[in-house]
Every structure is written in structure tokens, then in C-alpha cells.
Amino acid sequence: IPPQGYNYDDIDVGSQYPNSIVKLNIYAPHLKPSMMELFKEKISNRFKFKDKANELKALGKDEEARPFSSVQEMLKLCLNGGYYGKLGQEGSFLQYPEGLLRVCMGNQIEILMLIEMMESANFQVLSGNTDGITVLYPSDKKLQFLDICSEWEKKVGNHSMGKLEHTPFKAVWQESINHYLARKINYDKEGNITGYSIKKKGRFATEFEINKNKSKRI
């Protein structure tokens, strides 16, 4: 639980792997440059469906939003597992181990830059992984925190796609980087607190999406 007068935010890079693949122009040497045009088209389609789903959810039309959410999730899997994951899969026509390392290590270096910028401002980075960090900082320095995030996005070329997505936490009970319970603060468009929700990660998860369910239960 953050001390009085402090914020505890989780910040993740949106669509980090697809964004890095586009930034670094990653495709196997035996493929044509048109491969990247097809990849960019899938990214564009994903965001169209995602925006439509969010628009309907904001209006309280969750049932109408479900088909759009399903398609954008499918496209997300295509981009991450169906392209980035295949870079390291032996026998795949997309196999490109050097490209896999360039994306993964490039992301890690960018996150280290973000950590350095936060720590240099005397903000405490409590945890981090390849695509995000959690930061504890004084509430009255919120604008400085956001300025650092914006500056980082510009430095690494994430000012259009790959922007940081913010999730404010009220409390976190953490076993390790990928296994924790968190109480998230929910805000409306005007910035007013509307309530709280629980985020469950790793071993603390009790409900799973079909594509992420390893429990073998029906």
C-alpha cells in the first residue's frame, strides 16, 4: 500500500512487440519487404476493432462490443504469437533468430532507459519487466511523472504507437514480477474515482480467457 501522499502506477508499453518490429523493420532476409506492409495492415485493423469495442463499452453496450473485442484479441495473437513468436520457431517460414534478439533486447534497453529517467527524478521503480514498470512517486509530482513518460515515448519513437498505458494501483500484494494481486483505481473521463477493481496475475488468477487457460478444466 503506497504511503500517504504517494501514487503507485503501473505503466506498460502498448503493443510493444508489434511496434518494435515495425520500428526496426524486422523480417527474415528471405522474405520480401511487402511482408512488413501486411504486418502493418494487421496492426491497423486491430486498432480499428479495438477502438470500436472501447467506444461501445463506454456507452454501456458490452454485448455489442464483444464481437469487436474478440476480433481485436485474435489479431493481437496473430501479431504477437503468429509473427514475433515465429521468429524463434525452428522450421517456420518466418524464422529469424537475429530479429527475435533485436526486438527483445531492444525493448529491454528501452525499458532500462525509462527506469533510469524515473530514478534520476528520485521516483522509485519497484518492479520491471520487458514491457513495463511500476513506479512509486509523490502525488504532487504527477505532472513531472507524466512529462518523463512523454519524453521517453519521443526518445524511443513510441509517440504514435507503443505509448505507455497507465494503471494506478491502490494496493499490491506481490510474490514476484508475474504473480500478484492488485487493487486498481478506476477513473471516469473527468478524472474522478468511480471505484476499484482487482487485477489477478499468474498464480493468483482464478478466471482465464480460453486461449490462456492452462488449468485443463472445462
Side-chain angles (χ1 to χ4, degrees):
I1 298 175
Q4 186 72 24
Y6 279 79
N7 289 353
Y8 184 25
D9 284 14
D10 177 84
I11 46 177
D12 287 318
V13 182
S15 299
Q16 186 188 49
Y17 289 97
N19 180 51
S20 292
I21 288 167
V22 171
K23 282 197 305 183
L24 300 173
N25 203 33
I26 299 294
Y27 61 91
H30 60 271
L31 297 176
K32 295 180 180 179
S34 56
M35 187 67 205
M36 289 312 301
E37 295 307 312
L38 294 171
F39 189 76
K40 290 175 185 176
E41 185 180 346
K42 277 190 169 53
I43 292 174
S44 177
N45 287 335
R46 186 205 162 194
F47 282 113
K48 285 178 185 176
F49 282 100
K50 186 177 182 180
D51 290 343
K52 183 63 178 177
N54 290 337
E55 178 186 327
L56 290 168
K57 285 179 182 178
L59 297 172
K61 300 179 180 179
D62 289 359
E63 284 301 313
E64 293 180 37
R66 284 181 65 185
F68 297 96
S69 296
S70 297
V71 174
Q72 81 89 12
E73 282 293 334
M74 177 271 291
L75 289 169
K76 179 181 178 180
L77 287 173
C78 287
L79 294 167
N80 290 333
Y83 191 95
Y84 170 74
K86 298 295 182 183
L87 294 175
Q89 182 174 316
E90 188 173 351
S92 171
F93 78 98
L94 294 169
Q95 184 182 2
Y96 183 28
E98 179 187 326
L100 183 83
L101 289 173
R102 285 174 62 194
V103 172
C104 190
M105 295 179 69
N107 288 337
Q108 291 171 349
I109 289 170
E110 289 178 357
I111 289 295
L112 285 171
M113 287 173 60
L114 180 59
I115 291 172
E116 182 180 37
M117 291 168 73
M118 290 293 176
E119 292 285 348
S120 295
N122 294 318
F123 297 157
Q124 188 176 357
V125 177
L126 299 181
S127 66
N129 57 18
T130 305
D131 67 346
I133 60 176
T134 61
V135 187
L136 183 70
Y137 63 93
S139 303
D140 60 2
K141 293 190 177 181
K142 175 86 173 180
L143 290 179
Q144 183 183 357
F145 169 77
L146 294 176
D147 284 343
I148 292 172
C149 292
S150 179
E151 182 184 354
W152 177 84
E153 290 168 345
K154 292 174 184 174
K155 278 187 174 181
V156 301
N158 286 22
H159 48 282
S160 55
M161 191 171 84
K163 294 175 75 69
L164 292 170
E165 299 173 349
H166 298 248
T167 304
F169 288 156
K170 179 68 174 177
V172 179
W173 297 268
Q174 189 168 20
E175 177 190 283
S176 62
I177 183 64
N178 288 319
H179 303 279
Y180 61 84
L181 281 170
R183 192 180 188 202
K184 300 191 297 182
I185 305 172
N186 301 323
Y187 293 92
D188 60 21
K189 291 182 178 179
E190 285 70 42
N192 302 310
I193 296 177
T194 57
Y196 301 92
S197 56
I198 300 297
K199 180 178 181 180
K200 302 174 183 179
K201 190 82 171 178
R203 281 189 281 274
F204 293 97
T206 54
E207 296 296 331
F208 305 88
E209 296 175 29
I210 292 175
N211 64 298
K212 298 179 182 178
N213 192 347
K214 299 178 182 178
S215 69
K216 298 184 177 65
R217 66 178 182 169
I218 298 175

